[in-house]
Amino acid sequence: MAAQLTKMGVITQSVMVQAAIDVRRMSPAQKVALADEIFLQQPNLLASILVLQRMGVGMVELEVPVHILLVTFQAMKLSGRAWPIVTEDVQEGCMQRLTARARFNEGLPADLANKVVKQFCDEHPERYLLAFVYGYLGDHDLLAVRTDAEKYLMLGALNLVECVAFVGAATAPR
């Protein structure tokens, strides 16, 4: 329990809930304006989602990671912190760690893999954001990863969480 308290992220549960409510209530024009803000403040996060089209993610499926990005960015804004720009190097490093973790879990017996995943989620610095992303992917039946497109979509969404956690650690008070 003490380890969990020392790894608190920037995005609190209340901020995450408010961000999800805010985006759900936005008109299409307001969502476009928020996407424009993302382009100006976190262009690499936007690019990492839009590139999913080139990996076979269709326009309808792309709505899921776009929504996740909008909610994530709204949560970042509501946190009251100044966020460093997520660079391509940060994205690449986070993706390498994410895929290494996934490969490690693949070789484990199911019960042990479940424990490792639970521990990862419980101790994740941005666990409320992570829970939102897993929940939203699950709500849209995208956790089963039946196709390469779904795999890339899931990796893109989860890497978004990892990048926010990584740069969030830089904004956390010491």
Side-chain angles (χ1 to χ4, degrees), residues 13 16 62 83 142 154 165:
Q13 184 177 18
M16 197 67 238
L62 191 63
W83 290 81
L142 292 167
M154 180 190 282

Side-chain angles (χ1 to χ4, degrees), residues 7-166:
K7 289 189 158 201
M8 287 300 292
V10 176
I11 299 173
T12 64
Q13 184 177 18
S14 61
V15 163
M16 197 67 238
V17 169
Q18 189 60 54
I21 291 168
D22 289 352
V23 172
R24 190 179 50 227
R25 290 181 178 167
M26 286 181 181
S27 69
Q30 290 170 316
K31 289 178 181 177
V32 168
L34 186 60
D36 288 342
E37 279 185 66
I38 297 169
F39 175 74
L40 292 173
Q41 296 178 30
Q42 292 289 349
N44 294 319
L45 291 183
L46 180 61
S48 71
I49 298 303
L50 296 180
V51 76
L52 292 171
Q53 292 177 57
R54 292 186 182 170
M55 298 174 180
V57 176
M59 289 303 291
V60 172
E61 292 84 12
L62 191 63
E63 290 180 22
V64 172
V66 166
H67 180 81
I68 289 169
L69 175 62
L70 294 173
V71 172
T72 299
F73 186 74
Q74 183 68 12
M76 291 167 73
K77 285 175 39 176
L78 292 174
S79 75
R81 298 278 175 87
W83 290 81
I85 291 177
V86 173
T87 64
E88 288 181 24
D89 287 343
V90 167
Q91 288 178 309
E92 186 176 319
C94 289
M95 182 61 79
Q96 287 174 355
R97 288 187 295 278
L98 184 63
T99 55
R101 193 177 307 116
R103 278 193 294 273
F104 173 77
N105 288 355
E106 284 177 2
L108 297 176
D111 60 332
L112 185 55
N114 289 337
K115 287 178 184 177
V116 169
V117 169
K118 182 180 179 342
Q119 180 181 8
F120 168 73
C121 292
D122 289 346
E123 294 180 0
H124 196 278
E126 293 296 348
R127 64 178 157 267
Y128 301 116
L129 176 58
L130 183 64
F132 166 76
V133 170
Y134 271 119
Y136 200 76
L137 290 171
D139 289 348
H140 291 85
D141 194 28
L142 292 167
L143 293 175
V145 188
R146 295 167 292 259
T147 65
D148 281 347
E150 287 180 359
K151 175 179 74 174
Y152 292 124
L153 188 153
M154 180 190 282
L155 283 172
L158 292 175
N159 200 49
L160 180 66
V161 176
E162 295 308 305
C163 291
V164 169
F166 184 85

